[in-house]
Amino acid sequence: MSERSHDVLVIGGGVIGLVTAWRAAQRGLSTVVVDPRPGGGAAEVAAGMLAAVTELHHGEEALLALNLASARRYPEFSAELEEAAGQEIGYRPCGTLAVALDSDDRAQLKELHALQHRCGLVSQWLSGRECRKLEPMLAPGVRGGLRVDGDHQTDPRLLSAALLTACERAGVIFRRSWARRLVTAGERATAVLLDDGGTLPAGQVVLAGGSHSAALEGIPPEVVPPVRPVKGQVLRLRVPRRYAPFLSRTVRAVVRGSAVYLVPRVSGELVIGATSEEQGWDTTVTAGGVYELLRDAHELVPGLTELPLAETRAGLRPCSPDNAPLLGPTALPGLQLATGHHRNGILLTPVTGDVLADALTTGQLPEVARPFGALRFSRPRQEVLT
């Protein structure tokens, strides 16, 4: 049975889908979100680091501009969302300290420091003693580190809950069902068929399904987004009051070539992550993953083994071939993308909402997002058929 048409239909109720729906509704567009459990998804596992500077990698310099643009939006975005939802999102401008534990890790961190400076970013090299002065819980063996006062954090679970409330207050409709198939007519996306048998027509469809974005039936082969799941395991510890303050800022390190981070919350939670595993759709928490995270985190901050273990989780990051998001109009009229954010989904939430709102109302991507347009991986139809 077909239902009334909306201006915008968003497939996926994670933070990216929710911020897209909220911004679309603010532009006066009637909006519906299709998701069996909106407010869930990768945000339930993510640590919430807003790390445009310390997450910089060689070969991803183009992504830096988008990350920085979103990071600059966070203070205003946080204030606006908290007012709209009447609840906090855990935004905390606490800074980040990236440290090294041996000479190899120190050399790698020095290379990152040089890359940051070439890109015009602000970071300060500290000696091991200076690092321990900032964070007394660090291990005595810390050889040096980078102080980055511009990389902050938010709480993804609070962010997701606030976006859900803001959407509801803005008039966004929620259909708690799976989207089974994209419906096309006249070579245009026109509706979505739901698992419950309903059909939702819409003027425009936004595919924001995270790691599941490529699985939607009915998308022409040349338009299917090249997004795959990358598994990440995360631990949550609880810091009793007698240990507070345990860490004052996010602490990151590369330990024997493996990245580890510790994100302290005001609530007393300490998030430790994250593995990066090409395991398809597997979300099993493994003994090996927990062991490696605790082992590396213990070398960094020995005192954490005294803390209670509150939770172990595994989630799936939506990863594109170049580790950057796919945004805006596709080769199929009426279908837009907001997916493929990989490890930067929480960081890119504000800019993604703004970009998609512009694309939905004007049909064009703003300048900051053009390098990440959804068309950059599209293959010509004749190439797909041969």
Side-chain angles (χ1 to χ4, degrees):
M1 181 179 67
S2 182
E3 304 180 31
R4 76 177 182 89
S5 181
H6 292 82
D7 296 324
V8 176
L9 185 155
V10 180
I11 300 174
V15 291
I16 296 300
L18 291 175
V19 76
T20 298
W22 181 44
R23 290 307 196 196
Q26 287 181 317
R27 298 287 184 97
L29 302 174
S30 62
T31 305
V32 59
V33 173
V34 176
D35 193 298
R37 195 169 63 89
E44 293 187 327
V45 182
M49 294 180 296
L50 310 177
V53 179
T54 47
E55 281 278 358
L56 178 62
H57 288 68
H58 288 280
E60 295 184 10
E61 290 84 352
L63 180 58
L64 175 62
L66 189 68
N67 287 344
L68 290 173
S70 200
R72 287 191 294 268
R73 284 168 163 81
Y74 244 100
E76 184 177 347
F77 170 79
S78 173
E80 181 187 0
L81 178 56
E82 289 181 347
E83 182 177 357
Q87 55 198 92
E88 296 184 352
I89 69 167
Y91 174 66
R92 186 181 173 204
C94 59
T96 294
L97 182 66
V99 301
L101 286 169
D102 61 30
S103 56
D104 290 339
D105 297 335
R106 186 177 186 275
Q108 185 174 340
L109 201 57
K110 279 285 192 180
E111 289 183 7
L112 175 60
H113 190 215
L115 176 62
Q116 291 168 346
H117 277 210
R118 288 197 300 272
C119 293
L121 303 174
V122 177
S123 60
Q124 179 186 1
W125 182 262
L126 302 180
S127 67
R129 178 177 296 179
E130 289 170 324
C131 290
R132 289 188 295 275
K133 186 176 180 180
L134 278 181
E135 297 293 345
M137 296 300 293
L138 287 174
V142 167
R143 300 286 298 275
L146 288 176
R147 176 175 177 172
V148 182
D149 290 338
D151 278 0
H152 305 310
Q153 63 161 281
T154 193
D155 187 328
R157 294 178 177 181
L158 297 181
L159 171 64
S160 184
L163 282 169
L164 185 59
T165 300
C167 282
E168 292 171 341
R169 291 183 174 183
V172 174
I173 303 297
F174 287 92
R175 281 297 302 268
R176 287 169 168 79
S177 178
W178 288 107
R180 178 190 300 176
R181 172 179 289 273
L182 181 69
V183 178
T184 60
E187 297 190 347
R188 179 181 178 87
T190 59
V192 170
L193 177 65
L194 306 180
D195 252 5
D196 62 15
T199 300
L200 283 178
Q204 298 186 81
V205 176
V206 178
L207 181 53
S211 56
H212 295 273
S213 295
L216 182 67
E217 298 176 11
I219 305 177
E222 67 274 14
V223 182
V224 174
V227 174
R228 72 185 192 281
V230 176
K231 178 180 176 180
Q233 299 188 54
V234 173
L235 313 178
R236 284 177 165 81
L237 309 184
R238 183 170 50 82
V239 181
R241 289 183 181 273
R242 66 181 180 274
Y243 290 113
F246 193 78
L247 293 173
S248 64
R249 74 201 71 216
T250 298
V251 174
R252 310 171 59 105
V254 176
V255 181
R256 292 183 299 273
S258 297
V260 65
Y261 53 73
L262 294 85
V263 184
R265 305 264 193 249
V266 174
S267 65
E269 181 180 74
L270 180 67
V271 184
I272 302 175
T275 64
S276 184
E277 308 167 47
E278 297 279 356
Q279 297 290 340
W281 298 104
D282 174 42
T283 55
T284 304
V285 175
T286 65
V290 173
Y291 166 73
E292 291 171 8
L293 287 173
L294 285 176
R295 178 198 64 196
D296 294 346
H298 172 261
E299 289 198 28
L300 188 62
V301 182
L304 64 79
T305 54
E306 302 297 321
L307 304 179
L309 178 61
E311 182 181 277
T312 60
R313 291 288 294 271
L316 301 173
R317 307 177 186 93
C319 186
S320 72
D322 60 2
N323 296 332
L326 294 97
L327 303 173
T330 68
L332 178 67
L335 177 66
Q336 301 208 25
L337 298 184
T339 188
H341 291 70
H342 192 28
R343 61 181 181 271
N344 293 310
I346 303 302
L347 169 61
L348 291 173
T349 296
V351 76
T352 298
D354 294 342
V355 164
L356 265 294
D358 284 350
L360 289 167
T361 52
T362 70
Q364 301 292 324
L365 285 176
E367 183 68 31
V368 69
R370 287 177 188 168
F372 311 102
L375 292 169
R376 71 184 188 279
F377 294 118
S378 296
R379 293 177 292 165
R381 181 184 294 269
Q382 59 269 27
E383 181 181 320
V384 174
L385 295 175
T386 56

